[in-house]
Amino acid sequence: MAIDKNEPSKLRWGELEEDDDLDFLLPPKEVIGPDENGIKKVIEYKFNEEGNKVKITTTTRVRKLAKARLSKRALERRNWEKFGDAVREDVGSRLTMVSTEEILLERPRAPGTKQEEMKVAGDSLAQLSKGGAVLMVCRTCGKKGDHWTSKCPYKDLAAPVETFVEKPAASEASVAAPGAGKGAYVPPSMRAGAERSTGSDMRRRNDENSVRVTNLSEDTREPDLHELFRPFGAVTRVYVAMDQKTGTSRGFGFVNFVNREDAQRAINKLNGYGYDNLILRVEWATPRTN
Amino acid sequence: MRPILMKGHERPLTFLKYNRDGDLLFSCAKDHTPTVWFADNGERLGTYRGHNGAVWTCDVSRDSTRLLTGSADQTVKLWNVQTGTQLYTFNFGSPARSVEFAIGDKLAVITTDPFMDLTSAIHVKRIAKDQTEQTEESLLVIKGPQGRINRAVWGPLNRTIISAGEDAVIRIWDSETGKLLRESDKESGHKKTITSLTKAADGSHFLSGSLDKSAKLWDTRTLTLIKTYGTERPVNAVAMSPLLDHVVLGGGQDASAVTTTDHRAGKFEAKFYDKILQEEIGGVKGHFGPINALAFNPDGKSFSSGGEDGYVRLHHFDPDYFNIKI
């Protein structure tokens, strides 16, 4: 514990000499120089007000801010006198301080994942046709059929890929930037390439194309389901039931397809598939389809 | 990296400028007092007292002996950098928005705002080595653009003056005759006020940042659009790294204009983009308000940002910044 060393001990004239005499009882000051982390410890001993010997350990971190190689003129400037408001600069004025937080240049997302995502759709179809093969999906790099997430060789890259369905607007470096910026809101039915059928009909049919997936492993998330079902057709919504307390999947989820036929094919192909060491059960989400 | 926080200004920052040697950083703010700091550890060296209004801009001569500052009090002052004394005051009829020394430091280009019945104008003044010879007269006055001219800089070899402002058009003028040589294309140019302009180290291209949430890279001689960088926030300040092909944009929506606020503190960031690929490399967070000023140290190893919050943050890059790959 560091006690403020600058606090002067109250000297009473009668005790002055005693203090001096007792100084030799104190061990000398120790300085444990900056180690490889830059930590420097200074251990001092002194008498506090009650006459007890106290040990004061001050731990400081010595950091070399930057290597400044200054030109001759710059060196001269370093010795200039302060002027203006800086003349009366007291040491206590905390005008300049080093930030306590480490600030990093935050990358927007793991580079390269976007492109890989697109390619993979084709690959997985080929894999599925093998029949009975296990789909190994790595969440970090998006490469299918190679390794699981925990064995990813690209572990150090940043956050996993976000689903297209869930958060297209939130992603900073959004590839699919909607048109010329987010100026006017364009309803989905009027956007380029939208299917023009009656609005509410579309939504209802969508909910009727809902597929329930059970026996999911506990680290399955929405993006995984999306990757898994994407080969069968356009997926509008994925949902994985989560346990709020542990943050893991409760073992089941729902996938909504745009087309009923795609949903049917997904059920046919994926029911009974091995995914992350568990056999999936894929069926219609009752009772809506009935 | 651990940024150094410098809280010398009580009001929002408006401009930051490093000297040529990269050891001094000059900051201008709305609090009337430009300040000079040491660029390595952020220690304050001194302040220049004398202005009566917000200081919008400054420029320092190549030998770091003279400082020019432009202020809302309708004056541009010439200072001795070392002592902080005023050497000369140029008086105008309206606030001065941008100043820049020419190559050789014998001339300076100054822009003034439109005010009452005065239109905005670009002035070229001679700067004498000996202050006793200094005169008020302008070598050239260009009046033309509508609206505020936010920034005017010298082109290569002082032959041209490049100006950009509220009307979102970048113009290149002949610096001797004042004739308009080129204008940026309306279609491909900016759509809203251009807030900032910065030249490349070799002067061959320059970057303009605008409130239309984009920054554009232009060729200096032909004024052709080379690259565009898009963000989600209005751009208030731009900077180019002299060492790597990086472009930094700073901005943010003014607090008064925001209706829904995200209450995470320190989330205004300076965004780094790859100059050639136009892709975002990353962001450096930390400011509590929109970033109004950005400057790169001429050695490219550090940069500083000034915000609406009155802080100047000085960042020295970590070694792995220089190895970033997209």
Side-chain angles (χ1 to χ4, degrees):
Chain A
M1 282 293 145
I3 304 174
D4 188 0
K5 293 183 285 181
N6 293 330
E7 189 194 70
S9 50
K10 282 197 223 139
L11 284 178
R12 280 179 273 170
W13 61 270
E15 288 179 12
L16 259 173
E17 299 213 342
E18 289 175 44
D19 271 354
D20 281 348
D21 283 344
L22 290 169
D23 263 354
F24 67 88
L25 283 177
L26 292 174
K29 176 167 112 166
E30 261 178 77
V31 176
I32 303 166
D35 60 14
E36 66 272 8
N37 291 329
I39 312 274
K40 177 169 113 175
K41 277 202 187 129
V42 178
I43 305 179
E44 285 180 312
Y45 295 87
K46 71 180 222 205
F47 287 106
N48 70 356
E49 288 170 5
E50 293 153 32
N52 298 328
K53 203 170 13 162
V54 288
K55 175 182 176 187
I56 304 169
T57 310
T58 315
T59 312
T60 49
R61 190 154 162 211
V62 174
R63 252 184 127 242
K64 241 175 121 116
L65 276 182
K67 275 211 190 102
R69 283 154 64 183
L70 301 173
S71 65
K72 196 165 64 141
R73 290 239 206 90
L75 272 173
E76 284 166 30
R77 288 193 276 265
R78 225 28 186 99
N79 295 324
W80 279 355
E81 270 176 30
K82 303 269 169 98
F83 58 91
D85 293 332
V87 165
R88 285 170 277 105
E89 191 119 319
D90 33 326
V91 187
S93 75
R94 316 256 274 145
L95 270 192
T96 305
M97 1 168 206
V98 182
S99 163
T100 44
E101 293 176 54
E102 177 91 7
I103 305 272
L104 298 167
L105 183 63
E106 293 168 17
R107 314 297 298 265
R109 61 175 63 233
T113 41
K114 271 263 152 58
Q115 291 83 344
E116 304 228 5
E117 263 260 306
M118 306 298 208
K119 273 191 289 164
V120 149
D123 287 341
S124 59
L125 262 174
Q127 286 210 344
L128 285 168
S129 63
K130 275 193 236 150
V134 165
L135 257 124
M136 278 203 283
V137 187
C138 165
R139 275 192 287 269
T140 323
C141 64
K143 262 173 39 167
K144 280 198 176 45
D146 195 29
H147 51 267
W148 293 113
T149 315
S150 50
K151 296 273 182 292
C152 180
Y154 310 110
K155 255 193 293 212
D156 53 332
L157 292 179
V161 180
E162 299 185 9
T163 44
F164 295 94
V165 178
E166 295 292 345
K167 304 188 249 262
S171 61
E172 294 232 290
S174 53
V175 166
K182 303 170 190 157
Y185 173 69
V186 180
S189 50
M190 301 218 281
R191 276 183 212 156
E195 275 180 30
R196 281 271 208 168
S197 60
T198 53
S200 58
D201 257 8
M202 261 187 94
R203 226 171 297 130
R204 247 189 299 127
R205 270 204 214 101
N206 216 291
D207 281 348
E208 287 173 3
N209 304 337
S210 185
V211 171
R212 175 175 44 231
V213 193
T214 26
N215 205 25
L216 294 173
S217 75
E218 61 177 27
D219 4 277
T220 308
R221 299 281 175 277
E222 275 90 354
D224 309 317
L225 279 196
H226 187 91
E227 280 166 26
L228 186 57
F229 285 87
R230 180 72 190 80
F232 300 97
V235 172
T236 55
R237 190 172 179 260
V238 286
Y239 169 71
V240 173
M242 301 284 225
D243 184 336
Q244 295 301 336
K245 284 196 212 109
T246 66
T248 57
S249 154
R250 279 166 61 196
F252 69 94
F254 294 93
V255 180
N256 283 51
F257 281 94
V258 169
N259 301 313
R260 209 182 154 74
E261 304 77 37
D262 297 340
Q264 184 64 64
R265 282 191 297 128
I267 292 173
N268 298 341
K269 277 267 152 58
L270 292 180
N271 192 18
Y273 252 119
Y275 183 68
D276 201 5
N277 296 322
L278 290 177
I279 308 288
L280 293 181
R281 203 171 102 210
V282 184
E283 58 199 339
W284 290 114
T286 54
R288 292 190 205 132
T289 49
N290 284 356
Chain B
M1 54 197 148
R2 293 267 175 147
I4 302 171
L5 281 59
M6 290 119 83
K7 179 105 173 79
H9 292 285
E10 282 133 36
R11 303 273 319 278
L13 270 283
T14 52
F15 200 72
L16 285 171
K17 183 87 191 184
Y18 277 92
N19 67 342
R20 184 70 185 82
D21 293 333
D23 64 313
L24 296 176
L25 174 63
F26 295 87
S27 61
C28 308
K30 291 187 184 170
D31 67 349
H32 314 188
T33 321
T35 309
V36 61
W37 315 77
F38 286 112
D40 48 7
N41 63 356
E43 188 189 329
R44 187 166 71 166
L45 171 56
T47 61
Y48 301 91
R49 290 189 283 211
H51 273 299
N52 285 324
V55 182
W56 291 115
T57 181
C58 67
D59 195 14
V60 60
S61 63
R62 195 183 169 97
D63 56 4
S64 304
T65 56
R66 297 279 179 271
L67 176 72
L68 254 186
T69 54
S71 160
D73 66 358
Q74 305 182 357
T75 64
V76 165
K77 289 185 193 283
L78 185 65
W79 311 77
N80 178 325
V81 168
Q82 178 171 5
T83 60
T85 45
Q86 277 183 53
L87 296 172
Y88 196 77
T89 304
F90 294 95
N91 290 299
F92 294 94
S94 58
R97 188 64 60 167
S98 159
V99 295
E100 208 199 36
F101 274 109
I103 302 170
D105 300 333
K106 293 229 176 67
L107 300 170
V109 64
I110 298 165
T111 62
T112 49
D113 287 353
F115 188 65
M116 298 213 279
D117 42 350
L118 282 172
T119 54
S120 53
I122 303 173
H123 306 254
V124 176
K125 301 268 189 205
R126 198 186 288 284
I127 308 287
K129 255 199 156 343
D130 185 353
Q131 73 218 58
T132 53
E133 290 173 2
Q134 187 71 57
T135 54
E136 179 82 34
E137 59 166 315
S138 299
L139 245 68
L140 178 67
V141 179
I142 304 173
K143 290 188 210 207
Q146 302 303 330
R148 228 160 64 185
I149 306 172
N150 279 324
R151 196 98 178 91
V153 295
W154 290 93
L157 294 181
N158 299 340
R159 289 222 199 95
T160 53
I161 294 174
I162 305 167
S163 72
E166 248 178 359
D167 59 359
V169 177
I170 300 177
R171 294 188 173 83
I172 299 191
W173 311 83
D174 182 301
S175 58
E176 281 178 35
T177 62
K179 200 166 77 104
L180 175 62
L181 297 174
R182 274 177 226 281
E183 262 187 17
S184 64
D185 184 34
K186 273 241 152 31
E187 301 290 306
S188 58
H190 283 293
K191 305 284 179 291
K192 282 197 193 169
T193 303
I194 299 175
T195 50
S196 48
L197 215 146
T198 184
K199 295 187 283 194
D202 64 353
S204 62
H205 50 284
F206 65 92
L207 184 64
S208 61
S210 160
L211 293 182
D212 67 359
K213 303 187 187 167
S214 74
K216 292 183 192 274
L217 194 68
W218 309 82
D219 177 292
T220 313
R221 279 178 311 136
T222 61
L223 203 51
T224 39
L225 177 61
I226 308 174
K227 298 280 178 194
T228 305
Y229 312 92
T231 67
E232 289 163 0
R233 291 213 170 116
V235 177
N236 291 337
V238 290
M240 267 198 274
S241 169
L243 200 58
L244 301 174
D245 282 331
H246 289 170
V247 144
V248 192
L249 309 186
Q253 210 162 13
D254 219 2
S256 54
V258 173
T259 48
T260 56
T261 42
D262 186 337
H263 289 285
R264 274 183 292 156
K267 65 180 294 271
F268 287 90
E269 54 178 352
K271 289 235 182 110
F272 280 70
Y273 287 77
D274 184 294
K275 183 151 71 173
I276 300 166
L277 301 174
Q278 292 176 159
E279 274 176 32
E280 188 183 328
I281 302 173
V284 175
K285 286 198 162 78
H287 273 286
F288 297 98
I291 294 176
N292 289 336
L294 279 172
F296 252 99
N297 191 313
D299 70 5
K301 299 193 184 140
S302 60
F303 83 100
S304 49
S305 55
E308 192 81 9
D309 50 13
Y311 276 89
V312 177
R313 291 171 76 93
L314 175 60
H315 309 79
H316 288 277
F317 289 116
D318 290 331
D320 50 344
Y321 161 76
F322 301 99
N323 303 329
I324 291 183
K325 290 198 201 324
I326 288 277

